[in-house]
Amino acid sequence: MLLRVQPDSRVPLGEQIAACVRGALADGTTLPGERLPPAREVAASLGVNVHTVLRGYQRLRDEGLIELRRGRGAVVRADESTRGRARLLTAARSLIAEARGLGLADEDVLSLVRTALAAGPAE
Amino acid sequence: MLLRVQPDSRVPLGEQIAACVRGALADGTTLPGERLPPAREVAASLGVNVHTVLRGYQRLRDEGLIELRRGRGAVVRADESTRGRARLLTAARSLIAEARGLGLADEDVLSLVRTALAAGPAE
DNA sequence: AAATTGTTCGCATTCACCTAGAACAACCTA
DNA sequence: TAGGTTGTTCTAGGTGAATGCGAACAATTT
């Protein structure tokens, strides 16, 4: 399980950690039943506070993706993986179809996405 | 032009206002050449500070959707592609939000779009 | 000229996020 | 049972973005 973090990002660190796990879940890197590394370990590895990691874990628990239990750690629960990625790809194809319908070239689509990316998180 | 805002949302007020305009532009409620209500007026109407409204307007200007000029106000760009561009920006932001929720970095989003572009026509 | 409207200052306040340390409770293993 | 592991809870403080507030300013319209 590869956990990366960008301290200068506008996205909260806890959310970034949660997003990493979601991603690993989405692409099959992490499977149901698998155990996430202990929060203290992740914290030391990322140079981040334990509470921050746990906040990310608790967020995943609230989303129903993992279970948290004292002494046992964080265990992946549901199988949300392929569905999320499928949603994402569908959204991407829809975006592209709409762009082509407006006569935009591929480069135009990419630069549009770049613009929206630079604008920051919408929610 | 209907502008609504949810003060308790985590989404910044300025961004909420910008999103309202994008939506109105996307669904044809607001047309190119049309003038947005003055910032002071919107501020009073929503119970929000003028600067907050202007921050939303300036964001739209940065996205190329409107023009801002002193004394004249905020005008939707007469460019024919403005409306489509608003739709695309909305779709792109939705895609990006979903991608971030799955833990994808900016570069990942771009390469995803590149992949989908290379995949050819959607239908 | 006067009113309108966006622009740019500076400053204060609020709040989410992060860090830090400590004690505690549930769980596992030897 | 004893001890280590791991999440939970508590208090406390620091930082930065978002927002509010007031004022002066510049371009445009009427």
Side-chain angles (χ1 to χ4, degrees):
Chain A
M1 158 87 53
L2 179 58
L3 294 176
R4 284 170 303 176
V5 141
Q6 299 174 344
D8 293 338
S9 168
R10 289 175 46 188
V11 181
L13 291 175
E15 168 55 30
Q16 286 188 48
I17 294 173
C20 286
V21 177
R22 280 192 217 103
L25 230 56
D27 63 19
T29 302
T30 299
L31 297 174
E34 198 168 322
R35 178 176 166 181
L36 302 184
R40 285 172 173 84
E41 185 179 308
V42 173
S45 164
L46 294 179
V48 161
N49 195 279
V50 190
H51 299 99
T52 304
V53 178
L54 283 170
R55 207 173 304 123
Y57 279 9
Q58 284 155 6
R59 186 161 205 167
L60 293 170
R61 178 194 55 191
D62 294 343
E63 292 172 355
L65 293 181
I66 66 174
E67 281 182 1
L68 289 178
R69 304 191 68 171
R70 295 169 176 168
R72 184 182 301 178
V75 181
V76 177
R77 202 163 66 120
D79 186 0
E80 177 94 359
S81 57
T82 50
R83 204 182 350 171
R85 185 145 190 98
R87 265 206 317 267
L88 180 58
L89 276 170
T90 300
R93 295 178 73 82
S94 157
L95 169 67
I96 290 165
E98 200 159 359
R100 288 218 171 101
L102 290 169
L104 271 68
D106 289 6
E107 247 323 302
D108 298 332
V109 179
L110 285 175
S111 71
L112 178 88
V113 174
R114 286 198 197 92
T115 300
L117 278 169
E123 39 186 315
Chain B
M1 158 83 56
L2 178 58
L3 293 176
R4 283 171 304 179
V5 140
Q6 298 174 343
D8 293 339
S9 168
R10 297 178 304 255
V11 181
L13 291 175
E15 168 54 30
Q16 287 189 47
I17 293 173
C20 285
V21 178
R22 277 193 218 103
L25 230 56
D27 63 20
T29 302
T30 298
L31 298 174
E34 198 169 323
R35 177 177 165 181
L36 302 184
R40 285 171 173 81
E41 185 179 309
V42 174
S45 163
L46 295 180
V48 161
N49 196 277
V50 190
H51 298 98
T52 305
V53 178
L54 282 170
R55 207 173 307 119
Y57 279 8
Q58 285 155 5
R59 186 164 205 167
L60 293 170
R61 180 194 54 192
D62 294 343
E63 292 173 356
L65 293 181
I66 66 174
E67 284 183 0
L68 289 178
R69 305 189 69 170
R70 295 168 176 168
R72 184 181 303 177
V75 181
V76 178
R77 288 178 54 113
D79 194 335
E80 290 300 329
S81 68
T82 298
R83 183 172 166 188
R85 186 173 176 77
R87 264 208 310 273
L88 281 181
L89 274 169
T90 301
R93 295 179 70 82
S94 152
L95 169 68
I96 289 164
E98 199 158 0
R100 288 221 170 99
L102 289 172
L104 274 66
D106 288 7
E107 250 320 306
D108 297 329
V109 179
L110 284 175
S111 71
L112 179 87
V113 175
R114 285 197 197 93
T115 300
L117 278 168
E123 297 87 359

